[in-house]
Amino acid sequence: MLKGNQGLILCILIAIGAICFALFSGDPYYAQVVIWVFTNAALAVTLRFVLLIGELNIATAAFFGIGAYTTAVASTILGWPFFISLLAAPAIAGLISALFGWITLRTKGPYFLLISFAFTEIVRLIYTRTDALGGNSGMIGMFPPIELDTYFPAIAITILAAILFGLYAVERSNLGRVFKAIQNNEDIPRSVGLNVIGLKILCFVIASTAVGLAGGVHAYTNNVIAPADFTYFVAVLALAYVKIGGEGHIIGPIIGATILTIAGQFLHSFGPYENIFYGAIIIGALLLVPGGIVGLGERIKAGTLIGRAER
Amino acid sequence: MELQVQLLINTLQIGSVYVLFALGLTLIFGVMKIVNFAHGTFFTAAALVVSTVMSVSVETAGLPIWFSYLIAFTLALLIVCMIGFVVYFFGFQYVLKDLNGSFILSIGLLLLLNGTYLILYGGVPRSIPDVVPGNISLFGASLTIQRLLLIIVAAIITIGLYQLVHRTKLGLSLRAVAEDQEAAMLQGIPFRRVAFYGFLIGATLAACAGALMATVTPVTTVIGDDFLVKAFIIIIIGGLGSVLGAILGGLLIALIESFGGYYFDPSTATLAMFVLVVVLLIVRPQGILGHAER
Amino acid sequence: MSKKKIIGMTGGALLALFSAQTAFADEILKVGISAPMSGAAAAWGLGFEYAAEQAVEKINSEGGIKAGGETYMLELHSYDNKYNAAEGAKTAQTMLNRENINFIVGSIGTAPVKATQALSERKGAILFNTGWGKSIKGPKYPLTFTQMNTPFEILAPFYGYVKEQHPDAKTVAMITPNDATGQELEPVAVDTWADLNVEVITNDKYERGTTEFQSIATKIANSNADIVDFGASPPTDVGSMLKALDVLGWNGIKVVPAGTSAGTLSKMAGAAAEGTYLGASADFTGDSASDVQRELNTGAMEKLGEALNGITISSYDAVMALKKAIETADSVEPKEVAKVIPTIVFESSYGPAAFGGAEVYGNPQQILVPVMITQLRDGKAVEVGRIAPAELKERLK
């Protein structure tokens, strides 16, 4: 695995490459696929970001949806311009996540998991029962302005890539190290006077704001959103991306998202086989390659490929 | 008054299946500390087996219905135990006590098994003929004899399980491991073996629930999913790992569904349940009867 | 690709190869369908695909479609939209941008249909859909056509018939699922009943996926309504509710406007389903069905184990309509074809049919086929009324 600045530069080049592809290729289908890859990568990375403090956060799906619906409302009901509608998404997602985090992050482990799960379902049920939000039919008509139409894929990819790099930057900073310390044993940072619960909330808000922005982009990408798009299953898929790519490094979820999104494109007509495929991959990755692809890479580097890696 | 009695009877009907299902889930969590999202697949498998075997033996072999049902029920339990064994041996035993890992594994299993069921069984719902036909009136409320039997059988199984957990040596081991695994091991309790038994018992309970459910609902490959979500709500409310809690929680949820569904509407009742869960998790995460986390 | 699709396409290709003399000069015309092929609604998607395959094979074996001096053989591509908007958007992208399909001969599911429509209208492709909302058609969406009857066509004649049979009925209890179809249907139903002087005294929604209907049944039974209207509830749910109602001793008029499968209903509820009126159940085995429909239905039963219904057979009708339209317009340009669709009369599975509905929707984008009213008698759906839309009668004169 490439470490240090080499890897970072490679990623920046790939991102620039993707943006150029979207700008110049002229093939709307492949540009869409690239957007989906980046969107799924964003979902996976924001999920993993909260894993840094040791919590499995199903509510990623909820805030993705909140971001998408905010943009949808801003753009179709309030008639706000494109960029303002997009920016409203992370703002609202961030605010709600701060409140939610403040209430719930006192709990841990399975309890937080189940609360975040219940929250996602509650939010989804609220969408289906609110006629102003289109109820079960969802909302339509989120189109970028005509002048920006051809540039939209590039804009989307730029924003999503910025999210990825931004989260990476935070992880590498001191703040990121503190988060990891909390995951390890939260009593230690507390003993040196850090406000642990405040930091947990901060981590959660950062991740939720990021995924909210991704949700806003998603609204403009698909032009249509509906409550069924934001069930807990979205978070489950994100988790699959993380597990397959590997939790150890931020590039892991990105790799996982890329592979599975592209594989998914070919599995569309397969119906039940698609579920079997995803299921098998998740189980296989968990049991055989617990560190994911990133872990595999590290093992190759360390020459310990044969033999189970430690969990 | 008649209406209230009817609603209460409805509660019992719905609740009995919920309780069986939740008991298995809470047992697995209590002993192995894992969140098994694939619990619904045991339920579904049992129901699928029952409906398939019944249609073969009744229509093809012409065996009497009650006899076919007994065969089907037994087969369902056996098959689910086999699935449980495979799943435990090749998967869960490696992720004992690992919350995230077991969660992910169970999700993978859920996808894999649901997809497989769809291929094997098809998308068309099938229901089985009444094992015991007819209706009965109880304190002014009416229900089918079938459902009355369901309540009785579920109650018997529940009491049986309670006795198992509180009166037998195995039950003692299960409780010891659930309360403090290290201390239990210090006492010489073989953790891995107890965990395995706990898992199988849990799966069998789900299978019973599924096999019973097949008598009153059309069977499709997705019936387990709706139950799963409610079951999690139940065990949270009752307390993760508590048998009595699962029983109380199951009845409470059934009560909300029955009365809430009547006085408001089913959608609202569902929403209310989720909100209740969130509130409870914040205020008293260990539920009504659970152990407080250290 | 699914096995079915490969067989269909190979069969079609072989037929095309062997039948046409100028086989090597034939063009391929791709047509697509977007429907749920997995999950709870899979039976619909698979039936839908089957009906479309049959239409495609029939056309190809008879020489394909001739337009603009070329002969076109149809090639069917089916996609699983999983009944949600996100997948609908993805499959739409694949169909329209990757495969460059210009004619979508069927789509199921209001949310995925809308997602598909957002793209198809922009790209200039024709979209046939089974969507029930009014908002899916109109001058803003000139290339969208609805391929089966919707509540706006069904409810007035259907409820009218029921009221005629039971003039003393004054109250109705409504129950419908809390999904897109249910939400579109419910307001129309309430208004239509009001026009007939029937009052809706309870009106409830339940979440799809519910298996226990006891509380709902109790509520309905307690309301003492004369009629129970199951709205857009699928046949298995209706069956469970009917059974529960029967246990409670309720015995009133049972009405299922979206009732699509009499067989399932009868199997689920047995005697409790006797006398139920179904509004979209088109019984394709009885005498009132056309030969074409009977043949299609038998084939579907053999292959899929499930009978066709008003929704699933509509892909056949769309393909037939498309053929006539392309030939009349003498072009495969979607905009040209779309202009011509409101003018044609074509052989649908019901017999001669056309597109109209300009008064209701603003544009003539609604298929005009008879509303079939059936009633369950002795476990079988018996047609008790077939009401052809007035507009269709005019056009066929």
Side-chain angles (χ1 to χ4, degrees):
Chain A
M1 218 78 262
L2 300 168
K3 281 279 160 76
N5 286 331
Q6 259 186 329
L8 184 61
I9 294 178
L10 181 64
C11 290
I12 296 182
L13 286 174
I14 294 179
I16 295 182
I19 298 175
C20 291
F21 174 75
L23 271 177
F24 300 119
S25 78
D27 184 331
Y29 174 70
Y30 287 112
Q32 278 283 345
V33 174
V34 175
I35 299 183
W36 286 330
V37 167
F38 273 85
T39 308
N40 288 337
L43 278 167
V45 166
T46 53
L47 182 76
R48 179 186 167 272
F49 197 76
V50 183
L51 273 175
L52 290 180
I53 54 168
E55 300 295 348
L56 188 49
N57 175 28
I58 305 284
T60 288
F63 291 106
F64 184 63
I66 289 176
Y69 265 96
T70 307
T71 301
V73 166
S75 128
T76 58
I77 299 183
L78 297 173
W80 289 354
F82 176 69
F83 281 108
I84 311 280
S85 302
L86 268 183
L87 286 176
I92 302 283
L95 277 171
I96 299 183
S97 71
L99 185 62
F100 180 76
W102 182 71
I103 299 177
T104 63
L105 277 167
R106 295 149 209 284
T107 66
K108 294 203 286 275
Y111 300 105
F112 182 75
L113 171 72
L114 291 166
I115 294 188
S116 58
F117 174 82
F119 178 70
T120 308
E121 280 300 289
I122 292 178
V123 173
R124 191 187 63 83
L125 278 172
I126 294 179
Y127 296 145
T128 66
R129 300 166 57 85
T130 312
D131 288 329
L133 294 176
N136 255 295
S137 310
M139 305 193 67
I140 58 170
M142 286 78 73
F143 292 108
I146 311 268
E147 318 84 65
L148 290 177
D149 205 33
T150 37
Y151 301 112
F152 177 73
I155 298 177
I157 297 176
T158 311
I159 297 179
L160 293 168
I163 293 177
L164 299 177
F165 283 116
L167 287 175
Y168 179 59
V170 175
E171 185 183 338
R172 283 245 293 203
S173 72
N174 277 331
L175 190 60
R177 284 200 206 111
V178 172
F179 291 151
K180 288 186 194 160
I182 294 179
Q183 180 197 135
N184 232 309
N185 183 343
E186 68 177 58
D187 293 324
I188 296 184
R190 188 175 292 135
S191 70
V192 293
L194 289 173
N195 178 1
V196 168
I197 185 94
L199 285 165
K200 281 186 172 181
I201 298 178
L202 182 62
C203 175
F204 186 73
V205 169
I206 294 176
S208 305
T209 311
V211 86
L213 181 57
V217 172
H218 174 83
Y220 277 118
T221 308
N222 279 6
N223 314 126
V224 175
I225 59 173
D229 300 345
F230 306 114
T231 65
Y232 68 88
F233 200 69
V234 170
V236 166
L237 281 180
L239 191 57
Y241 304 148
V242 172
K243 265 298 159 181
I244 285 160
E247 269 170 79
H249 190 276
I250 199 171
I251 198 81
I254 300 179
I255 294 179
T258 311
I259 296 180
L260 283 180
T261 309
I262 297 187
Q265 288 306 303
F266 293 106
L267 291 172
H268 257 134
S269 345
F270 278 140
Y273 291 100
E274 190 177 345
N275 276 352
I276 296 185
F277 172 73
Y278 272 113
I281 282 220
I282 292 176
I283 297 177
L286 183 78
L287 294 175
L288 301 172
V289 196
I293 292 181
V294 163
L296 205 58
E298 305 218 334
R299 272 199 270 163
I300 293 177
K301 213 171 97 168
T304 59
L305 184 57
I306 314 297
R308 267 192 125 72
E310 303 229 330
R311 286 226 78 246
Chain B
M1 239 326 102
E2 214 185 85
L3 174 64
Q4 316 295 333
V5 180
Q6 182 69 52
L7 289 177
L8 270 173
I9 298 280
N10 289 351
T11 305
L12 275 178
Q13 294 177 51
I14 309 174
S16 30
V17 181
Y18 282 167
V19 166
L20 279 183
F21 191 76
L23 275 174
L25 199 63
T26 210
L27 204 61
I28 293 179
F29 180 84
V31 173
M32 297 160 67
K33 297 283 182 287
I34 65 179
V35 173
N36 181 15
F37 248 60
H39 197 66
T41 58
F42 298 137
F43 177 89
T44 313
L48 293 178
V49 166
V50 166
S51 101
T52 314
V53 168
M54 292 277 301
S55 54
V56 162
S57 76
V58 171
E59 282 158 37
T60 322
L63 292 171
I65 296 185
W66 62 270
F67 188 62
S68 308
Y69 183 69
L70 281 174
I71 300 179
F73 194 95
T74 324
L75 258 177
L77 290 189
L78 278 173
I79 292 184
V80 169
C81 278
M82 278 197 316
I83 300 179
F85 179 78
V86 168
V87 156
Y88 183 84
F89 191 70
F90 287 103
F92 280 110
Q93 71 165 328
Y94 299 113
V95 288
L96 291 176
K97 306 214 68 187
D98 172 11
L99 179 75
N100 291 350
S102 64
F103 176 73
I104 297 166
L105 180 69
S106 65
I107 294 279
L109 268 174
L110 174 71
L111 289 171
L112 186 73
L113 288 173
N114 269 355
T116 316
Y117 294 159
L118 190 58
I119 295 176
L120 291 176
Y121 188 78
V124 182
R126 268 180 260 181
S127 66
I128 67 175
D130 282 341
V131 177
V132 181
N135 303 339
I136 193 173
S137 185
L138 212 62
F139 306 117
S142 32
L143 74 167
T144 60
I145 300 190
Q146 189 104 321
R147 283 189 181 263
L148 183 63
L149 280 178
L150 194 154
I151 298 176
I152 297 176
V153 173
I156 295 176
I157 298 179
T158 306
I159 296 176
L161 182 78
Y162 189 81
Q163 301 289 56
L164 180 90
V165 168
H166 286 269
R167 298 277 163 85
T168 68
K169 205 162 142 206
L170 174 62
L172 191 60
S173 320
L174 286 169
R175 275 184 295 142
V177 162
E179 204 167 311
D180 189 336
Q181 185 222 333
E182 270 133 16
M185 280 170 81
L186 281 174
Q187 297 280 338
I189 295 180
F191 173 61
R192 296 191 82 88
R193 188 131 46 98
V194 169
F196 176 56
Y197 290 146
F199 189 77
L200 272 189
I201 296 176
T204 311
L205 285 168
C208 290
L212 285 173
M213 197 64 202
T215 60
V216 294
T217 304
V219 177
T220 65
T221 56
V222 295
I223 49 176
D225 301 344
D226 183 46
F227 274 91
L228 184 76
V229 174
K230 299 240 171 77
F232 273 111
I233 296 179
I234 292 170
I235 65 175
I236 294 172
I237 292 180
L240 290 165
S242 159
V243 167
L244 198 55
I247 299 175
L248 289 176
L251 291 173
L252 178 65
I253 287 297
L255 200 79
I256 296 180
E257 208 172 290
S258 172
F259 282 84
Y262 181 85
Y263 287 109
F264 299 96
D265 71 74
S267 259
T268 315
T270 314
L271 194 61
M273 278 181 237
F274 276 113
V275 172
L276 178 65
V277 163
V278 173
V279 167
L280 199 66
L281 275 171
I282 296 166
V283 165
R284 193 189 156 85
Q286 64 267 39
I288 306 176
L289 293 175
H291 310 288
E293 289 270 299
R294 268 176 290 128
Chain C
M1 288 186 206
S2 71
K3 277 191 281 210
K4 298 185 253 313
K5 211 167 47 135
I6 296 182
I7 292 175
M9 278 164 52
T10 319
L14 282 172
L15 279 168
L17 267 169
F18 289 164
S19 61
Q21 294 161 323
T22 53
F24 49 86
D26 284 342
E27 298 277 323
I28 301 273
L29 186 64
K30 295 193 213 178
V31 294
I33 66 175
S34 160
M37 308 277 188
S38 59
W44 281 2
L46 296 170
F48 203 58
E49 190 186 15
Y50 177 80
E53 276 168 0
Q54 296 309 303
V56 164
E57 272 177 34
K58 178 173 151 77
I59 292 178
N60 285 349
S61 66
E62 288 171 2
I65 306 184
K66 299 186 180 26
E70 300 277 354
T71 309
Y72 293 91
M73 289 297 161
L74 292 178
E75 194 179 87
L76 179 69
H77 292 250
S78 354
Y79 295 91
D80 180 4
N81 66 26
K82 301 207 175 73
Y83 216 72
N84 70 48
E87 286 298 316
K90 289 203 181 100
T91 53
Q93 279 288 339
T94 312
M95 267 194 285
L96 295 161
N97 283 334
R98 189 174 87 189
E99 300 288 332
N100 288 312
I101 293 177
N102 281 328
F103 301 99
I104 301 177
V105 292
S107 50
I108 298 183
T110 308
V113 166
K114 287 203 172 151
T116 311
Q117 185 181 52
L119 211 58
S120 65
E121 290 285 339
R122 279 188 141 197
K123 215 199 161 217
I126 287 188
L127 173 66
F128 285 96
N129 72 87
T130 59
W132 275 18
K134 212 182 197 178
S135 57
I136 210 134
K137 297 188 278 285
K140 278 204 292 183
Y141 308 109
L143 300 172
T144 306
F145 297 89
T146 304
Q147 60 199 115
M148 58 174 269
N149 281 331
T150 75
F152 290 97
E153 287 76 52
I154 297 177
L155 292 185
F158 180 56
Y159 290 167
Y161 175 86
V162 172
K163 175 81 181 180
E164 232 176 86
Q165 300 296 311
H166 304 268
D168 295 327
K170 298 235 174 27
T171 52
V172 63
M174 275 216 69
I175 175 77
T176 193
N178 186 25
D179 63 12
T181 328
Q183 284 173 338
E184 300 271 12
L185 171 75
E186 187 244 336
V188 186
V190 170
D191 286 340
T192 316
W193 281 123
D195 286 339
L196 293 165
N197 287 324
V198 178
E199 193 196 335
V200 178
I201 52 179
T202 78
N203 188 349
D204 283 319
K205 298 215 177 70
Y206 68 92
E207 290 302 315
R208 268 194 168 253
T210 308
T211 42
E212 285 291 339
F213 291 97
Q214 314 295 85
S215 6
I216 297 171
T218 313
K219 197 164 180 182
I220 295 176
N222 238 60
S223 68
N224 283 317
D226 301 315
I227 308 173
V228 63
D229 183 343
F230 290 102
S233 313
T236 30
D237 293 350
V238 176
S240 303
M241 285 190 265
L242 282 177
K243 252 172 83 167
L245 279 172
D246 185 57
V247 172
L248 294 169
W250 188 83
N251 191 10
I253 306 162
K254 304 165 276 231
V255 154
V256 192
T260 51
S261 179
T264 315
L265 209 64
S266 166
K267 251 194 339 173
M268 298 279 125
E274 267 302 288
T276 311
Y277 293 99
L278 302 146
S281 168
D283 168 27
F284 295 131
T285 57
D287 297 321
S288 54
S290 70
D291 292 333
V292 169
Q293 292 177 330
R294 243 181 303 231
E295 207 187 303
L296 284 173
N297 197 45
T298 322
M301 282 298 297
E302 263 177 43
K303 191 166 177 219
L304 305 168
E306 169 113 337
L308 291 176
N309 58 45
I311 301 173
T312 47
I313 210 168
S314 65
S315 58
Y316 179 93
D317 299 330
V319 175
M320 289 301 164
L322 185 66
K323 168 177 191 282
K324 190 70 191 276
I326 292 180
E327 286 175 346
T328 311
D330 200 30
S331 146
V332 288
E333 240 321 285
K335 293 210 170 68
E336 298 296 313
V337 176
K339 264 195 245 162
V340 152
I341 289 180
T343 65
I344 59 170
V345 171
F346 65 98
E347 270 306 305
S348 76
S349 62
Y350 297 86
F355 279 83
E359 260 185 53
V360 180
Y361 301 105
N363 256 14
Q365 292 163 292
Q366 171 63 40
I367 201 173
L368 303 167
V369 288
V371 173
M372 333 256 284
I373 304 175
T374 54
Q375 188 181 27
L376 259 178
R377 293 188 189 160
D378 291 331
K380 299 190 59 93
V382 170
E383 186 175 302
V384 292
R386 179 185 279 230
I387 303 177
E391 201 179 335
L392 182 63
K393 288 191 239 191
E394 277 297 311
R395 293 277 292 278
L396 292 180
K397 279 209 194 110

